[in-house]
Amino acid sequence: MPTTQFSVKEKYRYQNGFGSYHETEAVEGALPVGTNSPQKPPYGLYAEKLSGTAFTAPRHENQQSWLYRILPASAHSNFEPREHATFNTNPENQPGQKIHQIPNQLRWDPFDLDETVDWIHGLHLVAGAGDPTMKTGVGIYIFAAGKDMDAHEAFYSADGDFLIVPQHGVLDIRTELGRLLVRPNEICVIPRGIRYRVELPEGPVRGYILELYQGHFALPELGPIGSNCLANARDFQAPVADFDEDTDSQWTLMAKFAGHLFAAKQSHTPFDVVAWHGLYYPYKYDLGRFCTIGSISFDHPDPSIFTVLTAQSDHPGTAVADFVIFPPRWLVQENTFRPPWYHRNTMSEFMGLIHGQYDAKTGGGFQPAGASLHNVMSAHGPDASTHEKASNAELKPMKVGEGSMAFMFESCFMVGVTDWGLKKCAKVQEDYNEESWTPLKAHFKRPQKAVGEIKNGDHSDQGAIGSTKQVPHWT
């Protein structure tokens, strides 16, 4: 079956479709008919517009939703700075911390679980580029938490869309627009500004986050592939309306704003949306449903054929961020070095491993819950042992990646590393190059010099016109 067999069973209902216009109501009749903002919405609800793009964005890019809730989201106290000593995801604004721009290839051992903190304080910025205040760039995080968020606490990021990739544990996410259960081998996207709360029904969790400061994720164009394959729109799942009727409890609303944490108080639940309709909502996707495309003759295409979601820059074909996966797949190419080739890339590549073993790194250093970063033009490729095996393997049809799922956050930006990612986490592998590429051996063998061999710069015998010894003259 082209789906993941999860050990934790699904418990919520969803609406299917990526970029689809959805509508849902938890109470029949709560959605107004034929109007967005009637003078008196049904059942005494408040109408509230949630805008993910400018009002005047082109129709094909416009993302807005209308919410019908018991009390407006604006009904809270002033936000106050909160816990800057323990929460900071914008090091450039913190004295003594900075982003380190370095050309070295980097790899991290598995990041630690942390059972002492909740979702909010389990966020660690590892790398990033740009500035959320200017809505440019990306942030790359590790999350590790062991506690539910407080029962009367909610969180949102004003800085960007969170693409969440669980590696261990289960996230039970309650959003304003409904509930999502997110397990390893699933991803979810929570757009900028949407409020949510995270519970951990199976204990501690760990994983990766790509925060997109500019634009929103979209499905990649398929070009000559046609109209199907890769990630199909029908396989994305959005929540259905689900609400609480609570106007008496004290709640704390936490906001990530310019990389810092703020808190406000309110006397009602933020999860009071009885109905909603629109194009701006959280969603999830099972990576097991991804339909791979590959070569069936020789060579293999660029890894862009494994792109699940993309966020394009203003230059078509160049991504602010791509989310790429390397799922189980068949290799059948003839006369081909089948693992990824050695390369240098104008894009930055941050890789993580959800489970299993990545087929381009079989030496054991790239482990589940670990990561690697190959920045702009940093050379990389298969480790020495993988190259040796692949160069001598029998090229029969074979399936690779069984039980494995690696992924990549790719960006056109030069990605800097934080103090936490470079030093404080204490997970950087100092011997990454030594282990991976230093053992590579030179196999070049010069052929014996034969009559007629052309050697550029050898003028010992110029030969007659038409002679094979004639050296081209360049002006």
Side-chain angles (χ1 to χ4, degrees):
M1 291 292 291
T3 57
T4 302
Q5 302 304 304
F6 296 104
S7 59
V8 176
K9 300 302 181 184
E10 184 59 74
K11 59 181 180 178
Y12 300 130
R13 294 186 300 112
Y14 301 96
Q15 308 174 88
N16 285 13
F18 184 89
S20 301
Y21 200 104
H22 288 307
E23 66 174 28
T24 173
E25 55 187 11
V27 175
E28 186 176 358
L31 279 173
V33 176
T35 179
N36 293 319
S37 183
Q39 183 181 26
K40 291 183 178 295
Y43 308 126
L45 297 172
Y46 287 86
E48 178 180 87
K49 188 173 187 180
L50 178 61
S51 298
T53 53
F55 295 149
T56 53
R59 183 181 289 267
H60 70 279
E61 296 178 357
N62 207 296
Q63 295 188 26
Q64 322 277 341
S65 287
W66 280 94
L67 317 182
Y68 301 93
R69 59 192 319 155
I70 296 172
L71 284 169
S74 56
H76 59 71
S77 67
N78 286 340
F79 281 100
E80 301 292 342
R82 176 79 173 263
E83 301 180 55
H84 278 194
T86 60
F87 180 95
N88 187 283
T89 59
N90 191 0
E92 296 290 2
N93 290 340
Q94 178 109 336
Q97 295 192 37
K98 65 177 184 177
I99 292 281
H100 302 269
Q101 300 287 357
I102 52 179
N104 293 334
Q105 305 98 326
L106 293 172
R107 189 163 71 185
W108 288 266
D109 286 329
F111 294 94
D112 293 333
L113 290 164
D114 188 348
E115 300 188 23
T116 67
V117 296
D118 64 8
W119 172 260
I120 299 171
H121 293 92
L123 300 175
H124 296 283
L125 184 66
V126 178
D131 184 350
T133 67
M134 299 300 293
K135 294 187 177 179
T136 59
V138 296
I140 298 172
Y141 300 80
I142 294 297
F143 69 83
K147 300 193 301 186
D148 295 344
M149 287 176 58
D150 186 88
H152 290 87
E153 192 170 74
F155 172 76
Y156 74 92
S157 174
D159 294 343
D161 291 9
F162 268 32
L163 190 162
I164 301 169
V165 185
Q167 184 275 325
H168 176 87
V170 175
L171 302 174
D172 192 338
I173 305 176
R174 182 168 200 185
T175 78
E176 295 176 90
L177 282 75
R179 299 174 184 263
L180 299 163
L181 188 71
V182 189
R183 301 153 290 186
N185 226 50
E186 288 182 307
I187 61 168
C188 80
V189 173
I190 301 181
R192 182 197 308 267
I194 290 181
R195 300 171 181 182
Y196 64 99
R197 177 176 174 272
V198 179
E199 291 186 346
L200 315 179
E202 298 293 316
V205 296
R206 176 177 55 197
Y208 313 83
I209 296 172
L210 175 63
E211 186 172 23
L212 180 65
Y213 300 152
Q214 63 187 95
H216 300 290
F217 290 104
L219 294 178
E221 298 295 341
L222 293 179
I225 292 174
S227 56
N228 299 107
C229 290
L230 306 189
N232 290 310
R234 65 171 297 205
D235 292 323
F236 288 81
Q237 297 179 301
V240 297
D242 180 275
F243 75 101
D244 282 341
E245 188 175 357
D246 175 7
T247 56
D248 299 315
S249 300
Q250 290 297 312
W251 281 75
T252 301
L253 179 62
M254 311 289 278
K256 177 180 177 293
F257 198 91
H260 298 291
L261 192 63
F262 294 82
K265 299 292 185 181
Q266 62 183 58
S267 59
H268 58 98
T269 177
F271 306 115
D272 64 351
V273 177
V274 181
W276 62 268
H277 68 87
L279 288 160
Y280 194 62
Y281 45 77
Y283 55 88
K284 74 168 188 171
Y285 175 72
D286 173 7
L287 300 179
R289 301 188 184 198
F290 188 83
C291 183
T292 56
I293 295 291
S295 171
I296 53 173
S297 54
F298 60 90
D299 286 343
H300 58 77
D302 294 338
S304 48
I305 58 169
F306 300 122
T307 302
V308 180
L309 293 170
T310 185
Q312 293 291 298
S313 69
D314 56 4
H315 188 78
T318 301
V320 172
D322 281 333
F323 175 63
V324 180
I325 64 172
F326 302 96
R329 60 204 182 277
W330 281 94
L331 299 182
V332 299
Q333 308 99 307
E334 297 177 319
N335 192 29
T336 297
F337 181 75
R338 287 178 173 177
W341 11 252
Y342 295 98
H343 68 291
R344 291 171 290 166
N345 195 351
T346 186
M347 307 283 277
S348 297
E349 303 177 21
F350 179 93
M351 285 195 65
L353 185 60
I354 299 171
H355 48 248
Q357 183 182 68
Y358 178 45
D359 55 287
K361 290 286 190 293
T362 59
F366 186 50
Q367 302 173 53
S372 66
L373 174 62
H374 303 129
N375 225 318
V376 172
M377 290 302 171
S378 294
H380 58 287
D383 55 36
S385 62
T386 301
H387 179 270
E388 183 67 22
K389 293 175 186 175
S391 299
N392 297 288
E394 180 185 357
L395 295 182
K396 59 184 179 181
M398 62 183 296
K399 195 169 188 180
V400 298
E402 285 276 38
S404 174
M405 183 64 74
F407 72 88
M408 179 166 65
F409 297 150
E410 187 174 63
S411 175
C412 64
F413 293 110
M414 186 175 287
V415 174
V417 184
T418 64
D419 281 340
W420 187 89
L422 196 60
K423 303 170 186 176
K424 293 181 181 178
C425 70
K427 297 298 179 182
V428 173
Q429 296 178 6
E430 302 297 340
D431 60 350
Y432 179 31
N433 292 55
E434 185 72 22
E435 176 190 312
S436 297
W437 302 297
T438 299
L440 288 167
K441 296 179 173 59
H443 298 290
F444 175 69
K445 294 181 181 179
R446 183 183 295 276
Q448 290 184 343
K449 188 172 182 179
V451 176
E453 177 185 355
I454 298 175
K455 184 177 181 181
N456 198 21
D458 181 0
H459 303 286
S460 58
D461 183 1
Q462 293 294 333
I465 293 175
S467 168
T468 58
K469 293 184 178 180
Q470 184 69 25
V471 177
H473 178 68
W474 304 100
T475 59

Coordinates of all heavy atoms in Angstrom, one line a residue, residues 307-372:
T307 N 11.1 16.5 -4.9 CA 10.6 17.7 -4.1 C 9.1 17.5 -3.8 O 8.2 17.2 -4.6 CB 10.7 19.0 -5.0 OG1 12.1 19.2 -5.3 CG2 10.2 20.2 -4.2
V308 N 8.8 17.6 -2.5 CA 7.4 17.5 -2.0 C 6.7 18.9 -2.0 O 5.6 19.0 -2.6 CB 7.4 16.9 -0.6 CG1 5.9 16.8 -0.1 CG2 8.1 15.6 -0.5
L309 N 7.4 19.9 -1.5 CA 6.9 21.2 -1.4 C 8.0 22.2 -1.8 O 9.1 22.0 -1.5 CB 6.3 21.5 0.0 CG 5.1 20.8 0.5 CD1 4.9 21.0 2.0 CD2 3.9 21.1 -0.3
T310 N 7.6 23.3 -2.3 CA 8.5 24.3 -2.7 C 8.0 25.7 -2.4 O 6.7 25.9 -2.3 CB 8.9 24.3 -4.2 OG1 9.9 25.2 -4.5 CG2 7.7 24.6 -5.1
A311 N 8.9 26.7 -2.1 CA 8.5 28.1 -2.0 C 9.5 28.8 -2.9 O 10.7 29.0 -2.6 CB 8.7 28.5 -0.5
Q312 N 8.9 29.3 -4.0 CA 9.8 29.9 -5.0 C 10.1 31.4 -4.6 O 9.4 32.1 -4.0 CB 9.0 29.9 -6.3 CG 8.8 28.5 -6.9 CD 10.2 27.9 -7.4 OE1 10.8 28.4 -8.3 NE2 10.5 26.8 -6.7
S313 N 11.3 31.8 -5.1 CA 11.7 33.2 -5.0 C 11.1 34.0 -6.1 O 10.3 33.4 -6.9 CB 13.3 33.3 -5.1 OG 13.7 32.9 -6.4
D314 N 11.5 35.2 -6.3 CA 10.9 36.0 -7.4 C 11.6 35.6 -8.7 O 11.3 36.2 -9.7 CB 11.0 37.5 -7.1 CG 12.5 37.9 -6.8 OD1 13.4 37.1 -6.9 OD2 12.7 39.1 -6.5
H315 N 12.5 34.7 -8.7 CA 13.2 34.2 -9.9 C 12.7 32.8 -10.1 O 13.1 31.9 -9.4 CB 14.7 34.2 -9.7 CG 15.4 33.9 -11.0 ND1 15.6 34.8 -12.0 CD2 16.0 32.8 -11.5 CE1 16.2 34.3 -13.0 NE2 16.5 33.0 -12.7
P316 N 11.8 32.5 -11.1 CA 11.2 31.2 -11.3 C 12.3 30.1 -11.4 O 13.3 30.3 -12.1 CB 10.4 31.4 -12.6 CG 10.1 32.8 -12.7 CD 11.3 33.5 -12.1
G317 N 12.0 29.0 -10.7 CA 13.0 27.9 -10.7 C 14.0 28.0 -9.6 O 14.8 27.0 -9.4
T318 N 14.1 29.1 -8.9 CA 15.0 29.2 -7.8 C 14.2 29.3 -6.5 O 13.4 30.3 -6.3 CB 15.9 30.5 -8.0 OG1 16.6 30.3 -9.2 CG2 16.9 30.6 -6.8
A319 N 14.4 28.4 -5.6 CA 13.6 28.3 -4.4 C 14.2 29.0 -3.2 O 15.4 28.8 -2.9 CB 13.3 26.8 -4.1
V320 N 13.3 29.7 -2.5 CA 13.7 30.2 -1.1 C 13.9 28.9 -0.3 O 14.8 28.8 0.5 CB 12.6 31.1 -0.5 CG1 12.8 31.4 0.9 CG2 12.4 32.3 -1.4
A321 N 13.0 28.0 -0.5 CA 13.1 26.7 0.3 C 12.4 25.6 -0.5 O 11.3 25.8 -1.1 CB 12.4 26.8 1.6
D322 N 13.0 24.4 -0.6 CA 12.4 23.2 -1.1 C 12.5 22.2 0.0 O 13.4 22.1 0.8 CB 13.2 22.6 -2.3 CG 12.9 23.3 -3.6 OD1 11.8 23.9 -3.8 OD2 13.8 23.3 -4.5
F323 N 11.4 21.4 0.1 CA 11.4 20.2 1.0 C 11.5 19.0 0.1 O 10.5 18.7 -0.7 CB 10.2 20.2 1.9 CG 10.1 19.0 2.7 CD1 11.0 18.7 3.7 CD2 9.0 18.1 2.6 CE1 11.0 17.5 4.5 CE2 8.9 16.9 3.3 CZ 9.9 16.7 4.3
V324 N 12.6 18.3 0.2 CA 12.9 17.1 -0.7 C 13.0 15.9 0.2 O 13.6 15.9 1.3 CB 14.2 17.4 -1.4 CG1 14.5 16.3 -2.4 CG2 14.1 18.7 -2.2
I325 N 12.5 14.7 -0.3 CA 12.7 13.5 0.5 C 13.3 12.4 -0.4 O 13.4 12.5 -1.6 CB 11.3 13.0 1.0 CG1 10.4 12.6 -0.2 CG2 10.7 14.0 1.9 CD1 9.1 11.9 0.3
F326 N 13.9 11.4 0.3 CA 14.6 10.3 -0.4 C 13.9 9.0 0.1 O 14.5 8.4 1.0 CB 16.1 10.4 -0.2 CG 16.7 11.7 -0.7 CD1 16.9 12.7 0.2 CD2 17.0 11.8 -2.0 CE1 17.4 13.9 -0.2 CE2 17.5 13.0 -2.5 CZ 17.7 14.1 -1.6
P327 N 12.8 8.6 -0.4 CA 12.0 7.5 0.1 C 12.5 6.2 -0.5 O 13.4 6.2 -1.4 CB 10.6 7.8 -0.4 CG 10.8 8.6 -1.7 CD 12.1 9.3 -1.5
P328 N 12.0 5.1 0.0 CA 12.3 3.8 -0.7 C 11.9 3.8 -2.2 O 10.8 4.4 -2.5 CB 11.4 2.8 0.1 CG 11.2 3.4 1.4 CD 11.1 4.9 1.1
R329 N 12.8 3.3 -3.0 CA 12.5 3.4 -4.5 C 13.4 2.4 -5.2 O 14.4 1.9 -4.7 CB 12.9 4.8 -5.0 CG 14.3 5.2 -4.8 CD 14.5 6.7 -4.7 NE 15.9 7.1 -4.5 CZ 16.5 7.1 -3.4 NH1 15.9 6.8 -2.2 NH2 17.8 7.5 -3.3
W330 N 13.0 2.1 -6.4 CA 13.7 1.1 -7.3 C 14.8 1.9 -8.1 O 14.5 2.9 -8.6 CB 12.8 0.4 -8.2 CG 12.1 -0.7 -7.5 CD1 10.8 -0.7 -6.9 CD2 12.5 -2.1 -7.3 NE1 10.5 -1.9 -6.4 CE2 11.5 -2.8 -6.6 CE3 13.7 -2.8 -7.7 CZ2 11.6 -4.1 -6.3 CZ3 13.8 -4.1 -7.4 CH2 12.8 -4.8 -6.7
L331 N 16.0 1.2 -8.2 CA 17.0 1.7 -9.1 C 17.2 0.7 -10.2 O 17.4 -0.5 -9.9 CB 18.3 2.0 -8.4 CG 18.3 3.0 -7.2 CD1 19.7 3.2 -6.6 CD2 17.8 4.4 -7.7
V332 N 17.2 1.1 -11.4 CA 17.3 0.2 -12.5 C 18.3 0.7 -13.6 O 18.5 0.0 -14.6 CB 16.0 -0.1 -13.2 CG1 15.0 -0.8 -12.2 CG2 15.3 1.2 -13.8
Q333 N 18.9 1.8 -13.4 CA 19.8 2.4 -14.4 C 20.9 1.5 -14.8 O 21.5 0.9 -14.0 CB 20.3 3.8 -14.0 CG 19.3 4.8 -13.5 CD 19.3 4.8 -12.0 OE1 19.1 3.7 -11.3 NE2 19.4 5.9 -11.4
E334 N 21.2 1.5 -16.1 CA 22.3 0.7 -16.6 C 23.6 1.6 -16.7 O 23.5 2.7 -17.0 CB 22.0 0.0 -18.0 CG 20.8 -0.9 -17.9 CD 20.5 -1.5 -19.3 OE1 20.5 -0.7 -20.2 OE2 20.2 -2.7 -19.3
N335 N 24.7 0.9 -16.5 CA 26.0 1.6 -16.7 C 26.1 3.0 -16.0 O 26.5 4.0 -16.5 CB 26.4 1.8 -18.2 CG 27.8 2.2 -18.4 OD1 28.7 1.9 -17.6 ND2 28.1 3.0 -19.4
T336 N 25.6 3.0 -14.7 CA 25.4 4.3 -14.0 C 25.9 4.1 -12.6 O 25.6 3.1 -11.9 CB 23.9 4.7 -14.0 OG1 23.5 4.9 -15.3 CG2 23.7 5.9 -13.2
F337 N 26.6 5.2 -12.1 CA 26.9 5.3 -10.7 C 25.6 5.7 -10.0 O 25.1 6.8 -10.2 CB 28.0 6.3 -10.5 CG 28.4 6.4 -9.0 CD1 29.2 5.5 -8.4 CD2 28.0 7.6 -8.3 CE1 29.5 5.6 -7.1 CE2 28.4 7.7 -7.0 CZ 29.2 6.7 -6.4
R338 N 25.0 4.8 -9.3 CA 23.6 5.0 -8.8 C 23.4 6.0 -7.6 O 22.4 6.6 -7.6 CB 23.0 3.7 -8.5 CG 22.7 2.9 -9.8 CD 22.1 1.5 -9.5 NE 21.6 0.9 -10.8 CZ 21.1 -0.4 -10.8 NH1 21.0 -1.1 -9.6 NH2 20.8 -0.9 -11.9
P339 N 24.3 6.0 -6.7 CA 24.1 7.0 -5.6 C 24.2 8.4 -6.1 O 24.7 8.6 -7.3 CB 25.2 6.7 -4.6 CG 25.7 5.3 -4.9 CD 25.5 5.1 -6.4
P340 N 23.9 9.4 -5.4 CA 24.1 10.8 -5.8 C 25.5 11.1 -6.2 O 26.4 10.6 -5.5 CB 23.6 11.6 -4.6 CG 22.7 10.8 -3.9 CD 23.2 9.4 -4.1
W341 N 25.7 11.8 -7.2 CA 27.1 12.1 -7.7 C 27.7 13.1 -6.7 O 27.1 13.8 -6.0 CB 27.1 12.6 -9.1 CG 25.8 13.0 -9.7 CD1 25.1 12.3 -10.6 CD2 24.9 14.1 -9.4 NE1 23.9 12.9 -10.9 CE2 23.7 14.0 -10.2 CE3 25.0 15.2 -8.5 CZ2 22.7 14.9 -10.1 CZ3 24.0 16.1 -8.4 CH2 22.9 16.0 -9.2
Y342 N 29.1 13.2 -6.8 CA 29.8 14.3 -6.1 C 29.4 15.6 -6.8 O 29.3 15.7 -8.0 CB 31.3 14.1 -6.2 CG 31.7 12.8 -5.5 CD1 31.9 11.7 -6.2 CD2 31.9 12.9 -4.1 CE1 32.3 10.5 -5.5 CE2 32.2 11.7 -3.4 CZ 32.4 10.5 -4.1 OH 32.8 9.4 -3.4
H343 N 29.1 16.6 -6.0 CA 28.7 17.9 -6.6 C 29.0 19.1 -5.7 O 29.2 18.9 -4.5 CB 27.3 17.8 -7.0 CG 26.3 17.8 -5.9 ND1 26.1 16.7 -5.1 CD2 25.3 18.7 -5.5 CE1 25.1 16.9 -4.2 NE2 24.7 18.1 -4.4
R344 N 28.9 20.2 -6.3 CA 28.9 21.5 -5.6 C 27.7 22.3 -6.1 O 27.4 22.3 -7.2 CB 30.2 22.3 -5.9 CG 31.4 21.7 -5.3 CD 32.7 22.4 -5.7 NE 33.0 22.1 -7.1 CZ 33.8 22.8 -7.9 NH1 34.5 23.8 -7.4 NH2 34.0 22.4 -9.1
N345 N 27.0 22.9 -5.1 CA 25.7 23.5 -5.4 C 25.6 24.9 -5.0 O 26.1 25.3 -4.0 CB 24.6 22.6 -4.7 CG 23.2 22.9 -5.1 OD1 23.0 23.7 -6.0 ND2 22.3 22.1 -4.6
T346 N 25.0 25.7 -5.9 CA 24.7 27.1 -5.6 C 23.7 27.2 -4.5 O 23.5 28.3 -3.8 CB 24.3 27.9 -6.8 OG1 24.2 29.3 -6.4 CG2 23.0 27.4 -7.3
M347 N 22.9 26.2 -4.2 CA 21.9 26.1 -3.2 C 22.6 25.5 -1.9 O 23.5 24.8 -2.0 CB 20.7 25.3 -3.6 CG 20.1 25.6 -4.9 SD 19.0 27.1 -4.8 CE 17.5 26.3 -4.2
S348 N 22.0 25.9 -0.8 CA 22.4 25.2 0.5 C 21.6 24.0 0.8 O 20.4 24.1 0.6 CB 22.3 26.3 1.7 OG 23.2 27.3 1.5
E349 N 22.2 23.0 1.3 CA 21.5 21.7 1.6 C 21.6 21.3 3.0 O 22.7 21.0 3.5 CB 22.0 20.6 0.7 CG 22.0 20.9 -0.8 CD 22.6 19.8 -1.7 OE1 22.7 18.7 -1.2 OE2 23.0 20.1 -2.8
F350 N 20.5 21.3 3.7 CA 20.4 20.8 5.1 C 19.7 19.5 5.1 O 18.5 19.4 4.7 CB 19.7 21.8 6.0 CG 19.6 21.3 7.5 CD1 20.6 21.7 8.4 CD2 18.6 20.6 7.9 CE1 20.5 21.3 9.7 CE2 18.5 20.1 9.2 CZ 19.4 20.5 10.1
M351 N 20.3 18.4 5.5 CA 19.7 17.1 5.5 C 19.4 16.5 6.9 O 20.2 16.8 7.8 CB 20.5 16.1 4.7 CG 20.5 16.3 3.2 SD 21.1 14.9 2.3 CE 19.9 13.6 2.7
G352 N 18.4 15.8 7.0 CA 18.1 15.1 8.2 C 17.6 13.6 7.9 O 17.3 13.3 6.7
L353 N 17.6 12.8 8.9 CA 17.2 11.4 8.7 C 16.1 11.0 9.7 O 16.4 11.1 10.9 CB 18.4 10.5 8.8 CG 18.2 9.0 8.5 CD1 17.8 8.8 7.1 CD2 19.6 8.3 8.8
I354 N 15.0 10.6 9.2 CA 13.9 10.3 10.1 C 14.0 8.9 10.7 O 13.9 8.6 11.9 CB 12.5 10.4 9.4 CG1 12.3 11.9 8.9 CG2 11.3 10.0 10.2 CD1 11.1 12.1 8.0
H355 N 14.4 7.9 9.8 CA 14.7 6.6 10.2 C 15.4 5.8 9.1 O 15.4 6.3 8.0 CB 13.4 5.8 10.6 CG 12.3 5.9 9.6 ND1 11.1 6.6 9.8 CD2 12.2 5.4 8.3 CE1 10.3 6.5 8.8 NE2 10.9 5.8 7.8
G356 N 16.1 4.7 9.5 CA 16.8 3.9 8.5 C 18.1 4.4 8.2 O 18.8 5.1 9.0
Q357 N 18.6 4.1 7.0 CA 20.0 4.5 6.6 C 19.9 5.1 5.2 O 19.3 4.5 4.3 CB 20.9 3.2 6.5 CG 22.3 3.6 6.1 CD 23.2 2.3 6.0 OE1 23.0 1.5 5.2 NE2 24.1 2.2 6.9
Y358 N 20.5 6.3 5.0 CA 20.5 7.0 3.8 C 21.4 6.3 2.8 O 22.6 6.0 3.2 CB 20.8 8.4 4.0 CG 20.9 9.3 2.7 CD1 19.9 9.2 1.7 CD2 22.0 10.1 2.5 CE1 20.0 10.0 0.6 CE2 22.1 10.9 1.4 CZ 21.1 10.8 0.4 OH 21.2 11.6 -0.7
D359 N 21.0 6.0 1.6 CA 21.8 5.2 0.7 C 23.1 5.8 0.2 O 23.9 5.2 -0.3 CB 20.9 4.7 -0.5 CG 20.3 5.9 -1.3 OD1 19.3 6.5 -0.7 OD2 20.7 6.2 -2.4
A360 N 23.2 7.2 0.3 CA 24.5 7.8 -0.1 C 25.4 7.9 1.1 O 26.6 8.4 0.9 CB 24.2 9.2 -0.7
K361 N 25.0 7.6 2.3 CA 25.9 7.7 3.4 C 25.8 6.4 4.2 O 25.0 6.3 5.2 CB 25.5 8.9 4.3 CG 25.9 10.2 3.6 CD 27.4 10.5 3.7 CE 27.7 11.9 3.3 NZ 27.4 12.2 1.9
T362 N 26.5 5.3 3.8 CA 26.4 4.0 4.5 C 27.5 3.8 5.5 O 27.6 2.7 6.1 CB 26.5 2.9 3.4 OG1 27.7 3.0 2.7 CG2 25.3 3.0 2.5
G363 N 28.4 4.8 5.7 CA 29.5 4.6 6.6 C 29.1 4.7 8.1 O 29.9 4.3 9.0
G364 N 27.9 5.1 8.4 CA 27.4 5.0 9.8 C 27.4 6.4 10.5 O 26.8 6.5 11.6
G365 N 27.9 7.4 9.9 CA 28.0 8.7 10.6 C 26.7 9.5 10.5 O 26.5 10.4 11.3
F366 N 25.9 9.2 9.5 CA 24.7 10.0 9.3 C 23.6 9.1 9.9 O 23.2 8.1 9.3 CB 24.5 10.3 7.8 CG 23.3 11.1 7.5 CD1 23.1 12.3 8.2 CD2 22.4 10.8 6.5 CE1 22.0 13.1 7.9 CE2 21.3 11.6 6.2 CZ 21.1 12.8 6.9
Q367 N 23.0 9.6 11.0 CA 22.1 8.7 11.8 C 20.8 9.4 12.0 O 20.7 10.6 11.9 CB 22.7 8.4 13.2 CG 24.1 7.8 13.2 CD 24.7 7.7 14.5 OE1 24.1 7.2 15.5 NE2 25.9 8.2 14.7
P368 N 19.7 8.6 12.2 CA 18.4 9.2 12.5 C 18.5 10.2 13.7 O 19.2 9.9 14.7 CB 17.6 8.0 12.9 CG 18.2 6.8 12.2 CD 19.7 7.1 12.2
A369 N 17.9 11.3 13.5 CA 17.9 12.4 14.4 C 19.1 13.3 14.3 O 19.3 14.2 15.1 CB 17.7 12.0 15.9
G370 N 20.1 12.9 13.4 CA 21.2 13.7 13.1 C 20.9 14.6 12.0 O 19.8 14.8 11.5
A371 N 22.0 15.3 11.5 CA 21.8 16.2 10.4 C 23.1 16.5 9.7 O 24.2 16.2 10.2 CB 21.1 17.5 10.9
S372 N 23.0 17.1 8.5 CA 24.2 17.6 7.9 C 23.9 18.9 7.1 O 22.7 19.2 6.8 CB 24.8 16.6 6.9 OG 23.9 16.4 5.8

